[in-house]
Amino acid sequence: MDEFIKKMQDHTKVKSEAEARMMAPLVLAYIGDALYEVFIRNYLINEMTVSVNQYHKRATHYVRAKAQSHVVHALESELSEPEWTIVKRGRNQKSATVPKNADLTEYKYATGFEALLGYLFYIGQYDRLHYLMSKAVALINHDLGDQNG
């Protein structure tokens, strides 16, 4: 499991599933976005040695709404019913803004994906969280390979 996630276990108040389900989906997405961003940055730093600008450019392939939307759809069959419910709750939240480079539907599913990551974090399902983020990286790497080949 990612070292960052392991260390976070000691400093996070794990909530019951019921407590986590009661949290606002955008709050779950807020922490999920941060976790995923750190996961991606750590992944890239461990995979390559490039300038910070190049890390940033590469990271955008993983964290943009289009990629996250693709990931959540690709993982749908692997998600439990409660997990997919969290995705849908995140997807259905009204957002004040949409990034200029994102389609609204993609952005909503990306928010759902981030909400799921936040939910798993708060219920202490760190192995599942790590698995889904690793799977996201693999899916995106596959797509990047298809684009480059």
Side-chain angles (χ1 to χ4, degrees), residues 45-87:
I45 288 167
N46 286 316
E47 288 296 311
M48 60 188 71
T49 302
V50 295
S51 70
V52 171
N53 184 47
Q54 287 300 311
Y55 283 133
H56 175 73
K57 286 180 181 179
R58 186 72 176 183
T60 60
H61 292 292
Y62 297 88
V63 300
R64 65 184 182 200
K66 183 175 184 167
Q68 290 181 11
S69 175
H70 169 71
V71 164
V72 80
H73 287 295
L75 293 174
E76 183 177 355
S77 65
E78 291 187 47
L79 300 179
S80 68
E81 189 173 325
E83 289 172 339
W84 188 248
T85 298
I86 294 294
V87 169

Side-chain angles (χ1 to χ4, degrees), residues 49-148:
T49 302
V50 295
S51 70
V52 171
N53 184 47
Q54 287 300 311
Y55 283 133
H56 175 73
K57 286 180 181 179
R58 186 72 176 183
T60 60
H61 292 292
Y62 297 88
V63 300
R64 65 184 182 200
K66 183 175 184 167
Q68 290 181 11
S69 175
H70 169 71
V71 164
V72 80
H73 287 295
L75 293 174
E76 183 177 355
S77 65
E78 291 187 47
L79 300 179
S80 68
E81 189 173 325
E83 289 172 339
W84 188 248
T85 298
I86 294 294
V87 169
K88 290 190 298 187
R89 284 185 60 223
R91 174 200 69 193
N92 292 339
Q93 290 302 291
K94 189 172 199 127
S95 179
T97 61
V98 177
K100 62 182 177 186
N101 297 325
D103 167 270
L104 181 60
T105 302
E106 290 171 343
Y107 182 73
K108 287 178 170 278
Y109 274 102
T111 302
F113 175 67
E114 292 168 349
L116 173 60
L117 300 180
Y119 172 77
L120 293 170
F121 177 72
Y122 278 119
I123 64 169
Q125 294 292 320
Y126 305 114
D127 288 336
R128 181 70 171 157
L129 173 64
H130 184 265
Y131 171 79
L132 292 178
M133 290 191 296
S134 296
K135 192 81 172 193
V137 167
L139 287 163
I140 294 165
N141 283 344
H142 182 268
D143 290 346
L144 290 172
D146 289 348
Q147 291 172 11
N148 296 331

